[in-house]
Amino acid sequence: MTPNPGARALPGRVLLAGRHRRLARAIARYDECPDRAEIERRQVRRFNEIWAYCLAEVPFYRSWRREHRLPERIDRPAALWSFPPLTKEVLIARQDEVFQGGRIVDAYTTGGSTGQPTRYPRGAGEAGDRWVDAYLGRHWAGIRPTDPSLLLWGHAHLFGSGLRGRVAQTRRRAADAVMNITRLNAYDLSEPALWAHHAALLRHDPVSLQGYTSAVFRLARHIEGNRLDLPAPRRLRAVVLCAETASDADVALVERVFGASAVIEYGTAETGVLAMSRGGTRDISVFWDSFTALVDDAGELHVTTLNPRLFPLVHYAVGDRVVPRDVVDGNVLALQAVLGRRQDVVRVVSARGVLDLSAILPVHILKSYPGIVGVQFHQVRPDELRIHLEADHRLDLAAVTHHFTRELRRDHPDFVESSVSFTQTSEPARTTAGKHALFVG
């Protein structure tokens, strides 16, 4: 007897009826397609309400305003450029003030893959706004809340151990059941695990497949390399790529193998989902009703949260570089691409000296080589880059070197081949959050 997915989804629709109503209002608001002037008026109004709360209720921001002589109100989003960037370093250094001497206990925590983990106060009612933003973006891809979803994710280790860890895992399983989510382990991408993930995909026939870009890419390569079937008809409407930068090669492979549109979901642990692609992976719409996103000339992203939060983030330096698509005075409403962390630069040698390259370029080149499924960098010295490769077969590293040199010299003809070396690994390093680590060593 074929299971009825609607029966499993019913408890979620009943328990989350309030969130569904809020989501419907958000969908209607974005479907109205207001012009930029109306969007910015709304952003200003919402920011001034949030800032008034900050100055009345958040001791850190009262001090922040005095220290930097900040205004009580703004009249346009670009006025946020007069605010100093709120960085992770500031939040770490002033944790006692941010958490009000221990009176605030709950927190969002970053994994600390690029430095010391950072904690951000978390309020009891904030999950609802995050849920609405996430499903607003998925609505554009034809995914509804409680549609059957397969999730290639991790974070089990962050639950902790002992009774508290078991309670947290039980709560996660219950939440997954309510939302009709089947969770697969993205940490284990061994050959047996990939066969099991493919079997789960066939068994559950989900409406959406979501996960770390590297995990979804690896599963797609496994399916294609082993000529595995994904028999029709299938319910799959979209493959949502999260948490890691997706190259054009990643997107092309995913769409070819799964026969569904790839969707870019961009966000952070501390903000929730900030933006999602709409009508193409190079048109990533910012959730302008929940965030003001400013981009400077270097492509650095600064975000201000506009939903009610225990501790709003004001002109927060996310640490990511982006390519803006729809921007006026730095206020961006859509992105063309997310380039990743500002630290994600590799250095190679050319005849003219050391070249600083966005890490995305060598990743894109190498993932176009047959069999390569993972790329990690070890910057030994400014003039020496070691690249660790994960592949589904034994690589001819001389052939890889030739391919890499030929493709990189299309953009950088003076590239010196000897400044880069390759090794093959079967155990790629991961961050504490379970993501594929881009830099090692």
Side-chain angles (χ1 to χ4, degrees), residues 14 44 87 101 168 216 234 245 278 305 321 327 370 377 391 440:
V14 172
V44 166
T87 64
V216 175
R234 298 195 307 275
T245 301
R278 186 177 189 180
T305 56
R321 293 174 302 117
V327 60
F377 300 105
V440 299

Side-chain angles (χ1 to χ4, degrees), residues 319-386:
D320 284 338
R321 293 174 302 117
V322 300
V323 179
R325 182 182 177 91
D326 180 359
V327 60
V328 174
D329 295 331
N331 185 25
V332 63
L333 301 182
L335 308 172
Q336 181 176 326
V338 178
L339 301 180
R341 312 302 296 178
R342 60 173 175 264
Q343 302 98 322
D344 290 353
V345 171
V346 296
R347 311 188 86 185
V348 300
V349 176
S350 78
R352 302 179 183 181
V354 174
L355 286 173
D356 287 347
L357 303 176
S358 167
I360 290 176
L361 176 59
V363 167
H364 195 162
I365 290 172
L366 290 164
K367 281 192 173 181
S368 69
Y369 188 89
I372 292 178
V373 296
V375 178
Q376 297 182 312
F377 300 105
H378 178 196
Q379 191 75 59
V380 182
R381 297 191 306 268
D383 61 351
E384 181 182 353
L385 177 66
R386 189 171 299 149

Side-chain angles (χ1 to χ4, degrees), residues 57 72 151 165 169 199 227 276 317 348 353 392 412 426:
E57 303 293 341
E72 289 188 1
L151 182 61
Q169 291 192 52
R227 299 180 180 179
M276 202 149 180
V348 300
D392 57 18
H412 302 282
S426 59

Side-chain angles (χ1 to χ4, degrees), residues 87-102:
T87 64
K88 292 179 173 67
E89 291 75 17
V90 168
L91 293 168
I92 290 170
R94 299 175 67 163
Q95 284 280 285
D96 188 64
E97 186 179 8
V98 168
F99 282 86
Q100 299 184 25

Side-chain angles (χ1 to χ4, degrees), residues 150 196-206 209 219 223 230 258:
L150 206 62
H197 293 346
H198 173 252
L201 182 62
L202 295 180
R203 186 168 62 253
H204 292 283
D205 189 21
L209 171 63
L219 178 59
I223 291 170
L230 290 174
F258 294 109

